[in-house]
Amino acid sequence: MRALVIGGTRFLGYHIVKRLLQEGVEVTLFNRGRTPDEFGDQIKRVRGDRKDYKKFFETFRRERFDVVIDVIGYDPEDIEVALKTFRDHVGQYIFISTGQVYLVTRDQRQPSREEDYYRPLMECPPGEEKAYEYGVKKRACEDLLEEAFRAYKFPSVRFRCPIIHGPRDYTLRLYSYLIRILDGHPLIIPEGGDSIIRHVYVQDVVNAIMNVLEVEHTRGKVYNLASEEVLRLSEFLELAARMLEKSLTLYQIPTKIMLEHGVTPEISPFSGQWVSYLDPALAMEEIKFKPTPVREWLREVVHWYIDDYQGPEPENYRQRRQEIALAEFWKRLKKLE
Ligand SMILES: NC(=O)c1ccc[n+]([C@@H]2O[C@H](COP(=O)([O-])OP(=O)(O)OC[C@H]3O[C@@H](n4cnc5c(N)ncnc54)[C@H](OP(=O)(O)O)[C@@H]3O)[C@@H](O)[C@H]2O)c1
């Protein structure tokens, strides 16, 4: 099997490529070559910027792939060009989407199911332009793929992912909590931010992709991927603390008071309105999606951060001094402990 992976060297894409190679797939990677990769001569590399649409088209127009995995489609123009380029030249086109496609709609149902996509868009909440635009653009990408399937059976499969966890996760969202648990001081989350955690493990996303390769009945379809268990953030953090053999003190403090003390809600990346909560039932039923238990993957990721991660601290950790002072203030105010 010949596969083209667009992206493929940072986090999710890296894990996809690794698995494809293990499965004996012949892999071509397309990216700008800024992120070094460790695949040596196991892969073929094509260098380029996908935003150079003319060149992208010229590079791939005469190529034929059994599967194209588009890990980094963010703009509808990316997909317009991909459709032009790969029409009649690809066995299957896999598109990585996001649960945020639901979060930009009105009257959301949670957990979201695939059909909840077809709801009118909500207005962009003030100050949330970036997150809103991300969801709206991913929808525009998905709409084009759906249309192309309807019009000429363009063979795409879309996967909607919530927050993805795994080794190499460069977003450092999970690490934002771990590093605080490790320093032994209390952890603060915004009041009302004890959100539901139903994220997804990176290897489960990879498994789902493997399960649809060359499977005809999945063409034109879209699947939510997520863990089966539903935890509160506080429970999830308790679990992480136990894995770190640390105790956890968690304060939920109104955002207004946090801000008065120079602490922003970014310190709790899993709170807030942009964390999707998806129902993976359809994928479990149709493509044998079997999510790994949270305890198993969390242990792996926690240990990766402790044993292997060598990058910088999360940016939000710069607020730690103010957080510790706020936690002291809160403890006195509430006469806690
Ligand atoms: N992380 C999450 O929690 C989460 C949740 C839901 C959905 N997703 C989705 O997961 C995908 C992102 O995965 P990832 O970042 O882990 O992917 P990845 O494929 O592992 O890494 C990004 C790749 O894109 C390449 N790249 C970036 N800009 C490029 C350009 N203009 N032209 C060509 N190559 C380019 C980078 O290499 P160079 O820099 O060398 O070009 C790198 O190989 C997105 O579709 C996102 O919406 C992520």
Side-chain angles (χ1 to χ4, degrees):
M1 189 192 297
R2 285 191 80 214
L4 170 68
V5 178
I6 305 176
T9 52
R10 286 196 85 190
F11 173 43
L12 173 60
Y14 165 86
H15 290 285
I16 296 170
V17 173
K18 213 165 155 206
R19 176 69 72 79
L20 289 170
L21 292 173
Q22 281 164 2
E23 300 293 329
V25 176
E26 190 190 318
V27 180
T28 300
L29 271 194
F30 176 77
N31 55 49
R32 296 165 302 182
R34 293 185 190 171
T35 313
D37 74 70
E38 55 183 67
F39 301 116
D41 58 8
Q42 292 172 280
I43 53 161
K44 195 174 151 203
R45 291 175 189 77
V46 179
R47 298 287 183 227
D49 189 328
R50 83 169 300 163
K51 300 291 172 192
D52 186 343
Y53 294 128
K54 193 164 170 275
K55 188 133 178 261
F56 183 93
F57 177 79
E58 282 161 7
T59 305
F60 293 114
R61 183 58 194 151
R62 270 168 288 279
E63 297 263 2
R64 193 193 144 80
F65 293 98
D66 300 300
V67 58
V68 171
I69 305 181
D70 190 350
V71 190
I72 52 159
Y74 291 99
D75 294 311
E77 295 79 7
D78 298 342
I79 304 307
E80 268 164 25
V81 173
L83 287 170
K84 255 201 328 199
T85 309
F86 299 116
R87 184 173 177 169
D88 305 323
H89 287 246
V90 69
Q92 195 168 35
Y93 183 92
I94 294 175
F95 177 75
I96 304 300
S97 189
T98 166
Q100 251 163 265
V101 298
Y102 301 112
L103 298 178
V104 294
T105 62
R106 266 191 251 157
D107 309 322
Q108 294 152 31
R109 178 167 59 161
Q110 301 220 307
S112 307
R113 298 186 56 119
E114 286 77 356
E115 64 270 22
D116 295 327
Y117 181 85
Y118 302 99
R119 292 178 187 228
L121 286 188
M122 68 177 191
E123 297 281 313
C124 175
E128 299 292 339
E129 289 73 15
K130 205 168 150 215
Y132 179 83
E133 189 184 56
Y134 170 59
V136 169
K137 285 191 167 175
K138 280 284 199 185
R139 285 179 69 92
C141 294
E142 284 206 35
D143 290 346
L144 286 167
L145 291 168
E146 198 172 77
E147 237 171 76
F149 178 75
R150 240 183 281 121
Y152 50 91
K153 293 274 175 280
F154 186 79
S156 69
V157 186
R158 292 164 279 146
F159 288 109
R160 295 182 184 144
C161 304
I163 286 174
I164 304 173
H165 290 277
R168 299 177 67 104
D169 174 11
Y170 57 89
T171 69
L172 305 186
R173 287 171 295 195
L174 175 61
Y175 192 45
S176 301
Y177 298 100
L178 302 182
I179 194 171
R180 288 171 166 87
I181 296 172
L182 282 168
D183 73 23
H185 293 284
L187 227 131
I188 294 171
I189 62 174
E191 194 175 63
D194 192 12
S195 312
I196 283 171
I197 299 283
R198 199 188 215 178
H199 301 171
V200 71
Y201 174 44
V202 71
Q203 293 302 346
D204 289 340
V205 180
V206 173
N207 288 341
I209 293 171
M210 296 300 139
N211 289 357
V212 302
L213 289 186
E214 297 188 312
V215 178
E216 282 212 18
H217 72 84
T218 62
R219 304 212 170 128
K221 298 212 69 167
V222 59
Y223 296 102
N224 288 341
L225 303 178
S227 285
E228 211 179 348
E229 299 134 279
V230 177
L231 299 175
R232 284 271 162 204
L233 174 57
S234 49
E235 296 170 301
F236 181 77
L237 295 176
E238 252 324 319
L239 208 56
R242 252 180 279 141
M243 288 169 185
L244 292 166
E245 297 179 2
K246 287 287 209 177
S247 62
L248 173 73
T249 307
L250 186 69
Y251 295 147
Q252 297 193 37
I253 302 182
T255 306
K256 185 167 169 288
I257 298 181
M258 287 174 62
L259 293 172
E260 282 165 7
H261 286 77
V263 178
T264 65
E266 277 93 69
I267 62 164
S268 181
F270 299 157
S271 302
Q273 73 183 107
W274 297 112
V275 179
S276 54
Y277 171 24
L278 309 184
D279 184 343
L282 186 68
M284 293 173 78
E285 195 186 307
E286 289 193 2
I287 59 163
K288 301 194 180 82
F289 178 64
K290 268 204 216 80
T292 306
V294 173
R295 269 176 189 70
E296 277 178 36
W297 61 251
L298 184 59
R299 186 174 295 285
E300 184 199 334
V301 188
V302 162
H303 284 288
W304 180 77
Y305 274 115
I306 304 313
D307 301 335
D308 297 318
Y309 177 69
Q310 292 186 341
E313 292 175 343
E315 228 173 85
N316 61 36
Y317 196 62
R318 293 205 196 129
Q319 304 184 31
R320 195 56 176 149
R321 215 157 36 84
Q322 295 94 296
E323 285 169 59
I324 294 167
L326 169 60
E328 274 303 313
F329 164 84
W330 190 251
K331 200 164 85 178
R332 278 200 308 276
L333 189 76
K334 298 283 168 186
K335 301 201 175 36
L336 294 165
E337 291 170 46

